[in-house]
Amino acid sequence: MATETTTLTLNIAGKLISLKRPLIMGILNLTPDSFYAESRCEGRERIAARAREIVEQGGDIIDAGAYSSRPGATDVTEEEETKRLCEGLGIIREIYPDIPVSIDTFRAGVARKAIEEFGAAIINDISGGADPAMYSTAAEFHTPYILMHMRGTPDTMQQHTQYGNITAEIIKYFSEKIARLHAVGVNDIILDPGFGFAKELDDNYRLLNELHEFTPFGMPILAGISRKSMIYRLLGTTPGESLNGTTAANMLALTKGANILRVHDVRECAETIKIFQKTNGK
């Protein structure tokens, strides 16, 4: 593994983006059944309003997804996922032709269409490459690829939460997947330990505390903690009451080396980053 000696960068849609300041990835859910009800965007007005909210509050990337990955979510066909996603991307592009858009999908066909027709700039794959064509798709379009750790599928992942040393096992997982990605020509890889995916409550907090263990890869680290069960279960609240806990967890993630925060609440995240940078003399 490489040692981080310089500021990390990403090639996003042909532009070299510095990660000296952590980036904010604002969530735009194009699903009717996301775990956090307030984040669901259906209809032109709601989608447009959410896109504007993300950008105006300081978001750097819009992460659009049309397949809910919460446990027990209803399965949708590739055709339905593509339809939802294309409708949403069309609205986003009318308002913001150039904003970097990340596509939250595990299907290579969906990613390809989003890239070719709407200029999607990043592939966010929760499956780590379960679709055999996904790695080659990312390589073909020179698209940054978010490599997330998960076991099983969203429907079965909580049956696969037994670990010896969770951090060491995820490091091994990343090492193997990175080698495969490099072999097909994917150069820009973002690492996501997959908070909440095939992990028990204590696993998530151990990963948060040991997030810095992934920095020797020399690749950007994404933390997707926003309003997840690791927060509201610990605090005895609900997703809707988890903003304060999310802010606290995001600050911890920054101190442990996170370069990208994937969030529902963009304004609060931007303020967290500003305080983090001021504290660290940046």
Side-chain angles (χ1 to χ4, degrees):
M1 292 187 287
T3 300
E4 183 182 5
T5 57
T6 58
T7 299
L8 295 174
T9 59
L10 280 175
N11 185 340
I12 302 179
K15 296 179 180 178
L16 198 62
I17 306 299
S18 169
L19 298 180
K20 185 175 182 180
R21 175 184 68 80
L23 301 182
I24 301 171
M25 178 181 284
I27 299 167
L28 200 161
N29 279 322
L30 299 164
T31 61
D33 57 349
S34 173
F35 79 91
Y36 176 39
E38 293 300 313
S39 72
R40 300 169 190 167
C41 294
E42 295 185 90
R44 171 174 288 273
E45 290 187 9
R46 180 72 182 93
I47 294 168
R50 176 57 179 161
R52 289 191 181 96
E53 182 178 65
I54 290 171
V55 174
E56 291 171 4
Q57 293 185 0
D60 301 289
I61 302 163
I62 294 176
D63 187 57
Y67 187 110
S68 177
S69 57
R70 69 173 177 82
T74 302
D75 185 39
V76 297
T77 64
E78 182 166 339
E79 291 72 21
E80 177 63 22
E81 182 186 2
T82 302
K83 176 176 177 290
R84 291 178 184 175
L85 193 58
C86 287
E87 288 176 357
L89 292 176
I91 295 165
I92 294 168
R93 283 294 177 237
E94 286 177 14
I95 308 169
Y96 297 111
D98 300 318
I99 187 75
V101 175
S102 168
I103 301 304
D104 184 355
T105 186
F106 59 87
R107 290 165 167 155
V110 175
R112 174 177 290 276
K113 191 171 183 68
I115 296 167
E116 289 182 330
E117 296 191 14
F118 299 97
I122 300 170
I123 297 172
N124 183 7
D125 180 6
I126 66 167
S127 76
D131 185 331
M134 187 63 94
Y135 289 3
S136 59
T137 299
E140 178 183 347
F141 293 101
H142 306 287
T143 306
Y145 177 83
I146 299 174
L147 171 62
M148 196 191 85
H149 174 269
M150 179 176 66
R151 288 174 168 179
T153 66
D155 204 37
T156 65
M157 61 186 178
Q158 293 312 118
Q159 301 169 26
H160 304 282
T161 58
Q162 293 75 39
Y163 299 92
N165 181 322
I166 187 169
T167 302
E169 290 181 41
I170 294 178
I171 287 172
K172 183 174 184 290
Y173 171 93
F174 281 155
S175 297
E176 293 170 352
K177 297 282 188 178
I178 288 167
R180 289 175 51 198
L181 284 159
H182 281 165
V184 299
V186 179
N187 297 316
D188 286 287
I189 303 168
I190 299 163
L191 304 180
D192 179 354
F195 290 104
F197 289 84
K199 284 122 186 138
E200 299 289 353
L201 184 69
D202 289 347
D203 296 327
N204 288 304
Y205 283 97
R206 177 171 179 178
L207 278 176
L208 181 57
N209 189 46
E210 298 180 355
L211 199 62
H212 61 281
E213 296 288 347
F214 303 110
T215 59
F217 281 106
M219 296 174 177
I221 298 171
L222 183 150
I225 305 170
S226 185
R227 295 183 181 268
K228 286 187 174 179
S229 64
M230 64 178 282
I231 295 171
Y232 64 79
R233 282 176 53 206
L234 178 68
L235 301 178
T237 58
T238 65
E241 299 169 314
S242 297
L243 175 56
N244 189 54
T246 295
T247 298
N250 278 335
M251 180 62 86
L252 286 170
L254 292 170
T255 66
K256 294 293 184 175
N259 307 104
I260 304 171
L261 298 177
R262 182 179 181 272
V263 298
H264 298 92
D265 307 283
V266 175
R267 186 188 306 281
E268 291 80 0
C269 184
E271 291 173 352
T272 302
I273 288 173
K274 192 169 185 177
I275 291 170
F276 167 75
Q277 288 193 289
K278 187 66 173 177
T279 305
N280 287 273
K282 296 180 182 179

